[in-house]
Amino acid sequence: MGKRRTRHTTFLFLSLCLAFLAALGTSLAVASPASGSHPASELNSASGICGSISAGGEIWAQDGFFKSWEFERFDSDIQVHEDGSFTVRETQVVNFTGSFSFLTRDISTQSAGFEEGRTYGKVRVKDVEVFNLDGTPYDGSMWEADSYEGGELIRINFQARDEQRGWIISYRVKGAIIYAEDYDRLYWNAVSLDRPVPIRSSRITVTLPGGTNMSKVKYVDYYSIPTPDSTKSLGRDGNVIWWEADNIQPYMSFTIDVAFPKGTINKPWPYRTSTLLLMLGLSLAIFLAFLALMLCLWLLKGRDAHGGPTPGVSYEAPQELRPAVMSMLVHQQPKVEDMTATVVDLAVRGRLKIIEEGSSGGNEFSFERLGDTKEGLLPYEVTVMKGLFKDGDSVEGEDVRLGDRLMTFMNGVRNEARKKKLFYDDPEKTVSRYFKLAMALLLVPPILLLVLLVWYDLGYVWFILTGTVLAGIAVWAIGHAMPQRTPKGSRLYWQAMGFREYLKTAEAGEAESMTVQNFQENLPYAMVLGLADRWAQMFAGILTATPEWYTGPVSGFDTIGLTSSMRNMGHVLMISSAPAHSGSGGGSSFGGGFSGGGFGGGFSGGGFGGGGSSAG
């Protein structure tokens, strides 16, 4: 008997120990979930003890106490506006068990899935406000709304323990109305979707604009009653459509779909035909305004001063100007080719000799200085001489380089034109001012619109760039004609133009009465005017004697071959550096929707909006 009692006592003790260990292990499993796990997954592991989430809401342990929350009410009142936007007022009443300090509402701005029709612009959530249940504003320091790519996150801060709290969240939605061919459509997830707790009751209303033909309005919802004791009802009072439901389970949405006749609402302002016409009109006005402004400025400040009667054809270049300065007068800025023409001009004037060696066509040049005096040379010509003969009176091979003196040469030409008072102002600075204005018209408006695109849908507003681009082109083109020549500069300019006309139209027979001196003295001027080959053709077969300032690679002399050699020489002279050009040269898309069905065909959670809710 004693042994049987001892065995019975031992068995009872072991059973109690095992029961205690089992209970302890289960408690640890509930009270200590894995770090970083979602409350919903924590609930799943504890459902055997704590009950279903549909009955008790989201449940977890904190500081040794179980806490949970659920929505007593989640109502959505939607007011559709004639401008294509709509306002949502969500009334959220929450039961808190345990201690809580915040509630979040995440509103999705992702596009919905639909077939027929399109939307205009990006989905945007604007004008977020939070109120108490009595309609008074909630303390602004206790809530915040932050936009992010794909949604709007609203966080409400508070202190609650074992009590019911509630708020009204109001916001305006743009870009979420679907525009089809025969109707327009509101397709909206009326309660949060990513939500780990149930909603005991929900009332959803959609108020359409006054005057809506309600007989042509269609409405449907995509919500399946989850349990036998759940209910759902819907109806219409005037221009208000309503739904009521209870026991909406976690992670289930109540999606509504309302189609109303065309004309009930307008397209958003940026996408209307009237806006397109307005933007095209403004574009035309901007272009014409800048064109008129530039033409007036040219008449007042850009047109050359009168320099006397305009000459016709001139048989020689203006001898008052050296070739590079004449090029500056004609083109309003020095050119790279002007340095080569200056070298030829110095050779013609007996300052240096050009020697070409190699096969026909020439690829190597050397130079000899003839005299060491600077007398009669302009400063920029001295620059050329020093650049060529920096190491002695002769230079050949790789030492034949002038590229490093190019900028000094060009500045010297500008200074010479300034000294001779050919322009009222520096042409380069004048052109640069208008070039900057043109660049501002071409670049600033697109940049400004891209910045505005962050907050607004622009639609046809983009067409205003047509006007600013055309205006920029007009400013750039007319700006190049703005440097104003003085009376002296105007007289010499037209003489140069007359010489150019002569070069372009003269017959070959006219050269028979000319001398070698006529050919070689005018050759540098023909080079800066881009007509050297035409000038050489006039003397082809007439001049056969090689000029004293040039020694060619083959016996005999040909004027056309000479101009080709001078062009090759220019490439050799500039090879030491790559010269910079002188002077100044001159959401969202319209949609965002889809095409392709008909009204209906949606699904729960498939509309715009939705998002999620959480608390902690």
Side-chain angles (χ1 to χ4, degrees), residues 246-536:
D246 57 14
N247 295 326
I248 301 176
Q249 297 299 291
Y251 303 107
M252 290 186 65
S253 183
F254 197 111
T255 302
I256 60 168
D257 201 344
V258 182
F260 33 89
K262 301 294 289 186
T264 302
I265 62 173
N266 298 314
K267 293 178 183 178
W269 177 83
Y271 300 92
R272 298 175 191 170
T273 303
S274 59
T275 303
L276 172 61
L277 296 176
L278 176 61
M279 291 301 109
L280 292 177
L282 285 176
S283 297
L284 181 61
I286 290 172
F287 168 64
L288 293 178
F290 275 94
L291 180 62
L293 174 64
M294 291 301 299
L295 290 175
C296 290
L297 287 174
W298 179 80
L299 289 173
L300 295 174
K301 303 178 63 175
R303 184 171 53 174
D304 290 345
H306 182 62
T310 302
V313 174
S314 178
Y315 296 99
E316 63 178 2
Q319 297 302 308
E320 298 177 51
L321 303 177
R322 300 260 52 92
V325 180
M326 190 191 77
S327 177
M328 173 75 184
L329 177 65
V330 172
H331 302 111
Q332 302 175 356
Q333 61 183 0
K335 301 195 303 178
V336 174
E337 296 83 357
D338 298 345
M339 180 175 275
T340 304
T342 298
V343 172
V344 175
D345 184 50
L346 289 170
V348 171
R349 289 155 55 194
R351 299 290 183 163
L352 58 87
K353 186 171 184 178
I354 303 171
I355 303 170
E356 183 180 7
E357 300 174 350
S359 61
S360 180
N363 51 24
E364 291 186 6
F365 293 86
S366 59
F367 300 86
E368 292 181 1
R369 179 162 52 191
L370 306 176
D372 193 19
T373 178
K374 299 178 182 178
E375 184 178 352
L377 295 182
L378 299 175
Y380 71 85
E381 293 175 330
V382 174
T383 297
V384 172
M385 294 294 288
K386 287 183 176 180
L388 277 176
F389 304 109
K390 51 182 173 290
D391 295 326
D393 290 337
S394 63
V395 60
E396 61 183 17
E398 295 182 357
D399 295 330
V400 180
R401 300 290 184 266
L402 276 178
D404 55 348
R405 302 294 180 103
L406 179 61
M407 296 310 299
T408 305
F409 167 81
M410 288 184 168
N411 289 331
V413 174
R414 294 188 186 98
N415 291 334
E416 190 63 28
R418 192 178 300 114
K419 289 178 184 178
K420 291 184 177 295
K421 299 185 181 341
L422 302 178
F423 295 92
Y424 282 112
D425 195 8
D426 186 340
E428 186 174 25
K429 292 181 179 179
T430 301
V431 173
S432 178
R433 285 195 294 267
Y434 292 100
F435 176 76
K436 291 176 182 177
L437 176 58
M439 288 299 101
L441 287 169
L442 292 172
L443 298 178
V444 172
I447 293 173
L448 179 61
L449 291 182
L450 286 173
V451 172
L452 292 176
L453 189 60
V454 176
W455 298 283
Y456 304 100
D457 295 308
L458 300 179
Y460 294 130
V461 176
W462 285 107
F463 277 87
I464 202 170
L465 295 181
T466 305
T468 60
V469 169
L470 291 176
I473 294 173
V475 170
W476 176 80
I478 299 176
H480 275 75
M482 288 303 293
Q484 188 177 27
R485 297 178 181 89
T486 62
K488 176 183 178 181
S490 180
R491 175 177 59 82
L492 295 173
Y493 170 78
W494 286 112
Q495 186 178 348
M497 291 298 96
F499 180 62
R500 182 172 70 172
E501 186 65 20
Y502 169 67
L503 293 178
K504 292 169 64 176
T505 60
E507 299 293 337
E510 297 182 30
E512 295 179 358
S513 60
M514 297 185 184
T515 65
V516 175
Q517 196 69 14
N518 293 129
F519 169 75
Q520 60 185 14
E521 285 182 355
N522 286 306
L523 177 60
Y525 293 95
M527 292 174 67
V528 298
L529 292 174
L531 294 169
D533 290 339
R534 179 76 176 81
W535 183 244

Side-chain angles (χ1 to χ4, degrees), residues 516-591:
V516 175
Q517 196 69 14
N518 293 129
F519 169 75
Q520 60 185 14
E521 285 182 355
N522 286 306
L523 177 60
Y525 293 95
M527 292 174 67
V528 298
L529 292 174
L531 294 169
D533 290 339
R534 179 76 176 81
W535 183 244
Q537 286 174 359
M538 289 179 57
F539 291 88
I542 298 175
L543 296 181
T544 56
T546 303
E548 295 181 359
W549 51 269
Y550 170 74
T551 299
V554 294
S555 60
F557 175 74
D558 175 47
T559 55
I560 296 177
L562 176 64
T563 56
S564 177
S565 294
M566 295 302 98
R567 190 161 41 249
N568 293 336
M569 181 187 71
H571 297 317
V572 173
L573 290 174
M574 295 299 108
I575 203 170
S576 63
S577 65
H581 181 68
S582 170
S584 300
S588 104
S589 61
F590 287 161

Side-chain angles (χ1 to χ4, degrees), residues 140-285:
S141 64
M142 297 297 289
W143 69 274
E144 58 184 352
D146 294 315
S147 299
Y148 65 94
E149 187 65 30
E152 184 86 7
L153 181 63
I154 304 166
R155 178 186 173 103
I156 302 174
N157 298 309
F158 56 90
Q159 293 295 329
R161 186 180 185 89
D162 298 331
E163 60 183 295
Q164 186 180 87
R165 297 289 296 271
W167 301 269
I168 298 174
I169 300 175
S170 174
Y171 53 92
R172 192 180 186 97
V173 181
K174 296 182 178 182
I177 294 291
I178 301 169
Y179 294 82
E181 182 177 356
D182 301 321
Y183 61 89
D184 299 328
R185 176 183 175 194
L186 171 66
Y187 183 32
W188 185 252
N189 299 320
V191 300
S192 55
L193 176 62
D194 187 11
R195 166 183 41 80
V197 299
I199 299 173
R200 289 188 178 274
S201 67
S202 177
R203 177 178 173 82
I204 301 162
T205 65
V206 176
T207 304
L208 297 175
T212 301
N213 186 350
M214 298 303 295
S215 63
K216 294 185 178 181
V217 174
K218 299 179 181 180
Y219 50 94
V220 69
D221 63 78
Y222 308 110
Y223 174 70
S224 299
I225 297 176
T227 60
D229 59 343
S230 299
T231 62
K232 180 187 74 172
S233 58
L234 71 160
R236 177 172 66 85
D237 295 324
N239 64 334
V240 178
I241 305 167
W242 58 267
W243 289 263
E244 290 183 349
D246 57 14
N247 295 326
I248 301 176
Q249 297 299 291
Y251 303 107
M252 290 186 65
S253 183
F254 197 111
T255 302
I256 60 168
D257 201 344
V258 182
F260 33 89
K262 301 294 289 186
T264 302
I265 62 173
N266 298 314
K267 293 178 183 178
W269 177 83
Y271 300 92
R272 298 175 191 170
T273 303
S274 59
T275 303
L276 172 61
L277 296 176
L278 176 61
M279 291 301 109
L280 292 177
L282 285 176
S283 297
L284 181 61

